[in-house]
Amino acid sequence: IGGPENLPILTDHLDSFDSPAKEELRRKPHLVILGSGWGSVGLLGNLDKNDYDVTVISPINYFLFTPMLPCAAVGTLELKSLMESIRHIVRRVNGHYLEASAEKILFSEKLIKVKVPGTEQRFYVPYDKLVIAVGSTSNTHGVKGLQYSNQLKTAEDAVEIRRKIVTNLEKACLPTTTDEERKKLLSFVICGAGPTGVEVAAEIFDLLNEDLTRSFPKILRQEISIHIIQSRSHILNTYDKAISEYAMKRFEHDQIDLLTNSRVREILPDQVIFDQKTASGEIETKSVPFGLCLWSTGVAQNPLAQQVVKDLAGSQKNKRAIETDAQLRVIGAPLGDVYAIGDCATVRTELAEHCSDYVRKYIIGSQSHKFIRSHHIITDDDIKHVDLTYNELKQLCTQISQMNPLAAEALSLVEELVPKYDPEGRRKLNFDQVKLLMKEVDSKVTSLPATAQRANQQGKYMGKKLSKLRKSSTTLSINDIVDGDIDNAIARPFKYRHLGSLAYIGNSAVFDFAPGYSFVGDIVAVYLWRSIYFAQSVSFRTRVLLFMDWLNRGIFGRDILT
Ligand code: FAD
Ligand code: MG
Ligand code: MG
Ligand code: MG
Ligand code: MG
């Protein structure tokens, strides 16, 4: 069958008739998942079998355990321990996999336009439910010469870095290499001091100190240098302050060259040009030569996510991510068809926009607004004339928090904010004042971090909810559903739980637990770090492989040479 632009529409997969179970699934709703990363895998692991005919579309046919990618880049871990075939993961739900990239979504036709990588071939995949989990790309900050640097996002990136380190070390040992050239080959420059940059720097430092002196000439050790270029005054600046300071001290001690308040201007084939702000506020242009330059200065929007935001421009207001409601539904798409999770998505709280609904719900349940008894229906006019005391506002905020867990922290600030919106000191706010207050609360909601932890939690949430939705036809009565919102009737909104972030710095891990409490340490931290990741790994196979790698590292040192 032909779709728009005469492109074919996929009807059956090549494996749709492979087993009776798969044939049976053809009649079930089609669930399409875009991406094979943390969000998608969290979803696939929590979806009940046989609820949907599942198709995963991603240009990369493996799941990558990104938190340990820096280790793989320097040979502490084998790459294959960090990869899991997406086909293995999809098999659990009898699903299908297509190695391709989504280009555009036709929301009213419920079609995804898909491109085969490396070709100009395109086709359409129909969906009943769609989950977008396409992640993010690296931020270029418009810097020229990035082609001379390395990135660390995929397994191929890790292989490339590992290969370059070995090649440079070998070149440094040749008699034809001059002293100056040797220094350059052994200069590692890392642009960006977020967790990835910091972990790579620490891994390279450990590698050079612990293992290389065994097989390479000792003289190399004196010629090696590691530089971190960071635009802010601190490294790891999204973490707790104690952690950031600990990391800086540690790096100073390890003679890692921290270039703070510095902005990269351009990358040349063998040197980085950057502007550094001095203590007196002047800007000096400097350069540092490199044998390997890693670019890891944060994330930018994935092209498909950009396209979605553009196509739904009337409703989508954020330039950096696809906005969803608290149920993770893409705002502006038909309600309940399309969801977005992980790095490519952000949750919009919209408290001001839905203020009258919230106030309505509040006064229906409240005792003090007696005028309701005489009115059958609360009109918009009633709401406009409502006055809420400070105490009632507090109750209203508690109610709103339950519906918007992500805004709970910001809502708890309302007590401090309220006087600003009550200039006459009536100790009451009228509806317009409440609405303005909510607008400020909206702006105070902190967005979710772009982490594996968040993507995975959202994936799990979606997997469970999608299975519940399938069963809802038998468990829900029509009265349970308000305004056609089935999601709200069957599931609570998504709630993020911060379990701590981890960054590895030179034989000790820094562990950012929860706001106000952090744990910094040496050996204990390393084991904590390892065991947490160990417990998180996806399958028994990768768990065994990781364990073997650690044993190997402990006994034989790293294995960068093979
Ligand atoms: P991803 O996991 O990036 O998955 C996106 C998927 O979508 C990929 O499979 C991609 O191929 C696919 N895709 C892209 N475009 C399309 C398209 N058009 N159509 C279909 N598919 C598409 N987080 C932590 O919490 N802790 C850490 O220690 C940590 N360390 C990290 C270290 C490194 C080196 C890196 C790179 C990241 C690290 N992160 C860490 C961040 C974490 O990996 C991301 O936040 C997480 O991967 C986001 O999950 P996601 O599902 O949104 O996207
Ligand atoms: Mg994903
Ligand atoms: Mg991933
Ligand atoms: Mg994503
Ligand atoms: Mg990612």
Side-chain angles (χ1 to χ4, degrees), residues 50-103:
N50 306 326
D51 279 346
Y52 293 89
D53 191 13
V54 179
T55 303
V56 173
I57 302 174
S58 174
I60 292 183
N61 68 355
Y62 56 83
F63 165 74
L64 187 62
F65 197 78
T66 48
M68 285 204 160
L69 202 53
C71 309
V74 299
T76 313
L77 288 176
E78 279 306 316
L79 249 184
K80 62 176 186 293
S81 322
L82 308 182
M83 294 160 73
E84 179 77 31
S85 152
I86 193 69
R87 285 192 178 274
H88 286 178
I89 298 170
V90 165
R91 202 162 57 195
R92 197 187 68 84
V93 292
N94 285 313
H96 317 278
Y97 169 68
L98 297 169
E99 187 168 302
S101 256
E103 264 190 352

Side-chain angles (χ1 to χ4, degrees), residues 37-38 66 134-137 152-153 299 343 450-452:
W38 278 99
T66 48
V134 293
S136 51
T137 59
L152 187 55
K153 279 286 263 188
V299 295
D343 282 5
T451 60

Side-chain angles (χ1 to χ4, degrees), residues 456-473:
N456 201 241
Q457 284 181 24
Q458 290 189 321
K460 283 183 181 162
Y461 167 88
M462 276 313 303
K464 287 184 187 148
K465 182 158 85 174
L466 284 164
S467 280
K468 258 192 180 170
L469 278 170
R470 276 292 287 155
K471 280 143 204 145
S472 67
S473 50

Side-chain angles (χ1 to χ4, degrees), residues 386-388 390 422-431 433:
V386 79
D387 259 333
L388 295 180
Y390 284 9
D422 179 22
E424 293 142 48
R426 295 191 306 137
R427 302 204 56 84
K428 283 177 188 171
L429 297 194
N430 65 30
F431 178 73
Q433 289 167 332

Side-chain angles (χ1 to χ4, degrees), residues 316-334:
Q316 294 278 328
K317 289 171 190 146
N318 192 314
K319 292 273 170 292
R320 276 166 298 164
I322 301 174
E323 288 180 315
T324 71
D325 63 13
Q327 294 274 354
L328 310 186
R329 294 172 293 200
V330 174
I331 294 172

Side-chain angles (χ1 to χ4, degrees), residues 209-249:
N209 276 285
E210 290 172 12
D211 306 309
L212 281 181
T213 40
R214 288 189 227 179
S215 20
F216 281 85
K218 288 211 169 50
I219 183 106
L220 291 196
R221 181 60 206 100
Q222 277 118 57
E223 317 249 316
I224 283 164
S225 60
I226 304 173
H227 316 264
I228 301 180
I229 302 181
Q230 156 79 334
S231 57
R232 310 275 185 97
S233 59
H234 277 72
I235 62 173
L236 292 177
N237 53 29
T238 56
Y239 287 61
D240 196 273
K241 197 158 160 247
I243 279 166
S244 167
E245 276 162 11
Y246 174 80
M248 303 250 300
K249 270 209 202 98

Side-chain angles (χ1 to χ4, degrees), residues 34-41 133-135 341:
L34 303 181
S36 52
W38 278 99
S40 310
V41 166
V134 293
I341 58 175

